Each structure stands twice: as structure tokens, then as C-alpha cells.
Amino acid sequence: MMVASMSRRFVAAACVVATVAFALLASTSSAQLDPHFYDKACPAALPTIKRLVQEAVAAEPRMGASLLRLHFHDCFVNGCDGSILLDDTPFFTGEKMAAPNANSVRGFDVIDRIKGAVNAACRGNVVSCADIVAVAARDSVVALGGPSYNVPLGRRDARTASQAAANNSIPAPTFSLDRLASNFASHGLSLQDLVVLSGGHTLGFARCTNFRDRLYNETATLDGSLAASLRAVCPRATGSGDDSLAPLDPTPARFDGAYFASLLRSRGVLHSDQQLFAGGLGVTDALVRFYAANADAFRRDFAEAMVRMASLSSLTGSSGEIRYDCRKVNYS
């Protein structure tokens, strides 16, 4: 336990330097974003996004978690620029079929519907796809009982995407705590951001292929009753039941603190989730305990961390473009 605790403290110290360095680089783009960016250009934009998100989540509650995840996976690859929405072209292989996204990331049809409705409400191509993804994530959280927050707006859309960047930038469910901390630090996010944003797993489901290794090889850190229920939907053999789903916490369609309470009981479905809590004296252990006992603090800190994530390396000003169609760039 002493070695594990020292390792976690070392991770915390090492990540401070990387986080501060990235924050200095990111400050310029975030300063140009403004929650009121569309107040005059298209006051109907945000209410339109909210309405369509509410309809989508009402029809399928899981879609709320999917839209939140879509935003996360967009922001972690070269910033929140809508690149995840681009289909492959003869000029680049995009992010949709990258390992973290293939047969997993969803919600593209919902974003398409929102884009069409927003263009109609604004009587033109005013709102970027990147901003739509960011606002849809916030409205999804709210629709499922989570906190609201002011989304910084004014992003522009990328004109390219990179499968390789997605493979290298999005943290995997197999990551250790050290790799998770390093990954978040490389995006200017702290250990607290890591823990609180992981709390987004209070919503949604995981695919068998993403928890099979933990289920059959980490029995010492996995609650026995949970393991039994997971084995019922996720056979040991690769290729069998790969897409079967299991809830990430006991209340997958309600934003609450059940995710953190589950980690305290060794009921984290994903390896990367349970890595946040080893029962020791590390920084992440303390944060998991704190959020499990303080639901209001989790809501507040989650909202603040989402704003920080939503400001990562955004394209602003004359950079990028505002796509007419979120799936393809505006070729002249």
C-alpha cells in the first residue's frame, strides 16, 4: 500500500507541470469563446438544440450518455472542433473508425437533425457543428438530471480529421492510473478533472469488449455479485457477445453519485474506472471518497470541469469554417 500511495503522489506531482504548460497554450483560444456568442446572431439557436436533445433523450435515454461521450471524444483529439463528425474522404481517414470510436460512438444522426433545425431557425449557416456538439452534451446532462452550465461558444469546425490522432489521444478503458493521469495532463486537465469527468460514467453503458479483460482477469478487484451479472452478458470468448451492454453504474439514465459509490465497493465496470480507487491514500482515492459522499460538490465540479474541457484548443476567429453539413467540409 505504501508503494501504491507513493506512486499516486508522484503521478500527481508530475502531472502539475504538464497541466500548467498546456493551460498556458490553451488560454488564447478559450479567451475568445463566449457563452453569449449567438445571442444576437441567432437567439433561437440554443433553444432549438435543447428541444431536439430533449426529444432524443426522451425517445432513448441512453442517447444522453452517447452525446456526452461524443463531445468528450471530439475534444480529446486536437480540441473541440467537430472533427469526430467528419466522414472519411479520399484526402483523409477520419476518426469515426478509430479504435475508441468504431462500433461505439453514436449520436451522429441526432447531431445531423439538430444542425438542420438550427440552420432553419437561424435562416442560414450560423452555428458550428463543434458548438452544437458541446451544447448537446450539456443539454443531455441536464435532461438526465445533471447540472446546467454556461457553454463557451464561438468554436469553428475543423476541415480535416485524423484516425491516428484519435487512436493516440483518447484514453482507453484499459489504461492504468498513471496513463490516465498523463493523458489528461497532456490536454491541460488535472487529476481532479480526471476523477470528476470520469464521473460522467454515471450515465450510460459499456460494451462487453471493453470490460471482458477486467471481468475474467481482475477478480481480486471486482465485486463478486457484479462479476456474476456481467458474465451473464459477456462470455469469456472473444467475438462472442462483444457488443452486449452493461450499465456503468446502477442508475445509467440518472445523473447522480452512484458511480463513485460503486468504485468504493469494487464495482467499477471498466478497468480505467476502478483505477481511480484502490482503497489507499492517493489523490484519486480521496476524490472518489469525497464525491461519493458529496453529491452537490460532484455536480458543481463536474460542470466546471466540462467548461474547461469544452475550451480545449478550439478553433476561433478565421480558423476552420462553419460547416453546412456536419459530416463533410465546405468544398467550394
Side-chain angles (χ1 to χ4, degrees), residues 2-299:
M2 180 68 72
V3 173
S5 178
M6 290 176 64
S7 174
R8 286 169 181 246
R9 291 193 181 101
F10 177 78
V11 167
C15 287
V16 169
V17 176
T19 302
V20 171
F22 187 96
L24 293 173
L25 293 173
S27 61
T28 301
S29 64
S30 62
Q32 297 181 48
L33 300 176
D34 184 349
H36 304 288
F37 188 84
Y38 297 109
D39 283 4
K40 293 182 179 180
C42 184
L46 269 62
T48 300
I49 298 172
K50 181 178 181 179
R51 175 175 59 81
L52 267 74
V53 167
Q54 289 176 331
E55 291 175 0
V57 174
E60 182 193 5
R62 181 187 168 207
M63 184 55 67
S66 297
L67 292 172
L68 174 60
R69 187 163 178 254
L70 187 67
H71 181 40
F72 181 93
H73 282 219
D74 183 37
C75 290
F76 265 56
V77 184
N78 299 321
C80 310
D81 60 4
S83 58
I84 194 171
L85 305 174
L86 288 171
D87 291 337
D88 293 351
T89 76
F91 307 102
F92 63 79
T93 301
E95 300 166 23
K96 289 183 176 179
M97 294 306 294
N101 298 332
N103 301 315
S104 178
V105 170
R106 1 174 10 249
F108 300 109
D109 291 344
V110 175
I111 298 300
D112 289 341
R113 290 199 297 273
I114 294 173
K115 177 63 173 174
V118 168
N119 280 1
C122 297
R123 298 183 179 181
N125 188 36
V126 176
V127 181
S128 69
C129 299
D131 275 348
I132 287 174
V133 171
V135 175
R138 187 272 310 276
D139 291 344
S140 294
V141 169
V142 173
L144 294 173
S148 186
Y149 51 92
N150 291 322
V151 180
L153 299 169
R155 299 167 193 78
R156 289 170 66 84
D157 297 321
R159 292 180 56 83
T160 189
S162 170
Q163 184 178 100
N167 283 328
N168 292 329
S169 299
I170 298 172
T174 56
F175 273 14
S176 66
L177 178 62
D178 286 11
R179 291 189 70 184
L180 289 167
S182 176
N183 180 281
F184 271 64
S186 74
H187 294 93
L189 297 171
S190 68
L191 275 178
Q192 182 174 11
D193 292 324
L194 164 61
V195 174
V196 77
L197 289 174
S198 295
H201 284 174
T202 185
L203 303 175
F205 295 76
R207 295 166 63 225
C208 165
T209 189
N210 287 326
F211 61 80
R212 176 181 282 118
D213 188 66
R214 168 160 166 72
L215 174 59
Y216 290 101
N217 296 309
E218 299 179 15
T219 54
T221 63
L222 180 61
D223 174 77
S225 62
L226 175 62
S229 66
L230 293 178
R231 284 194 293 269
V233 299
C234 185
R236 182 187 292 269
T238 301
S240 178
D242 284 1
D243 292 328
S244 297
L245 299 175
L248 286 162
D249 85 352
T251 55
R254 186 170 71 239
F255 191 99
D256 56 23
Y259 166 81
F260 295 108
S262 293
L263 298 187
L264 296 180
R265 299 165 55 204
S266 298
R267 294 179 65 88
V269 174
L270 300 177
H271 171 84
S272 55
D273 285 337
Q274 196 61 54
Q275 283 288 291
L276 302 180
F277 185 78
L281 302 175
V283 174
T284 62
D285 295 285
L287 286 166
V288 169
R289 290 190 183 97
F290 175 72
Y291 290 129
N294 295 275
D296 289 343
F298 169 47
R299 294 171 65 87

